[in-house]
């Protein structure tokens, strides 16, 4: 007789300065190169931003994922208060366990509770098929905004 494996609880909590190394390592595993200066700067910015907007996921007392975001009013002409997910990452070993979804759901819940946010946006490179599929799978759809850049 095979026992069913119990799913362990994922804890989503506010980012702490002590999470810097874990977040940097997860990002390096995902991207294939290290960005320590980028992450030091992001952590410094997060310290002065709303605490609900930068979250980590823990499983077995280990940081296994993160999300960084923000909110603003009338961003890019969109009426009302909207939330933005800027960057999300889940350690590849822990993917497909609901961690990314839990991070986004907690971000959305806190954004609504703290800032009355009804819509959350993100930008996705269409060549990053896994990322686009992840967001589509958790209920995001292509929006009306068009990304424009200088040439």
């Amino acid at each position: 007789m095979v026992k069913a494996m119990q799913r362990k609880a994922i804890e989503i909590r506010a980012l702490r300065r002590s999470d810097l190394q874990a977040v940097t390592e997860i990002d390096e595993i995902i991207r294939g190169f290290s960005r320590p200066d980028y992450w030091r700067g992001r952590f410094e910015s997060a310290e002065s931003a709303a605490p609900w907007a930068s979250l980590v996921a823990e499983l077995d007392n280990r940081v296994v994922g993160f999300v960084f975001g923000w909110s603003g009013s009338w961003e890019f002409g969109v009426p009302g208060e909207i939330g933005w997910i800027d960057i999300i990452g889940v350690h590849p070993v822990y993917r497909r366990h609901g961690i990314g979804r839990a991070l986004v759901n907690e971000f959305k819940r806190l954004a609504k509770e703290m800032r009355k946010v009804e819509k959350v946006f993100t930008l996705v490179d269409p060549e990053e098929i896994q990322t686009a599929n992840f967001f589509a799978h958790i209920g995001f759809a292509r929006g009306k905004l068009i990304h424009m850049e200088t040439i």
Side-chain angles (χ1 to χ4, degrees), residues 1-19:
M1 182 168 141
V2 178
K3 286 187 177 180
M5 200 186 240
Q6 281 188 309
R7 184 170 247 174
K8 296 185 178 168
I10 302 163
E11 180 189 349
I12 308 297
R13 63 165 174 79
L15 182 76
R16 298 180 194 138
R17 181 170 276 284
S18 60
D19 297 324

Side-chain angles (χ1 to χ4, degrees), residues 10-80:
I10 302 163
E11 180 189 349
I12 308 297
R13 63 165 174 79
L15 182 76
R16 298 180 194 138
R17 181 170 276 284
S18 60
D19 297 324
L20 176 61
Q21 182 175 347
V23 169
T24 303
E25 287 172 1
I26 291 168
D27 182 66
E28 182 176 358
I29 290 165
I30 292 168
R31 296 193 185 287
F33 58 91
S34 183
R35 306 186 296 169
D37 293 337
Y38 169 80
W39 284 110
R40 275 192 293 278
R42 286 306 301 260
F43 271 65
E44 287 172 14
S45 295
E47 286 179 341
S48 62
W52 61 264
S54 300
L55 307 169
V56 297
E58 280 189 340
L59 193 60
D60 294 328
N61 297 315
R62 176 183 175 165
V63 173
V64 295
F66 57 86
V67 65
F68 285 70
W70 46 281
S71 72
S73 296
W74 288 86
E75 298 287 338
F76 303 101
V78 178

Side-chain angles (χ1 to χ4, degrees), residues 69-90:
W70 46 281
S71 72
S73 296
W74 288 86
E75 298 287 338
F76 303 101
V78 178
E81 189 79 14
I82 58 171
W84 287 90
I85 292 177
D86 186 24
I87 187 167
I88 185 169
V90 174

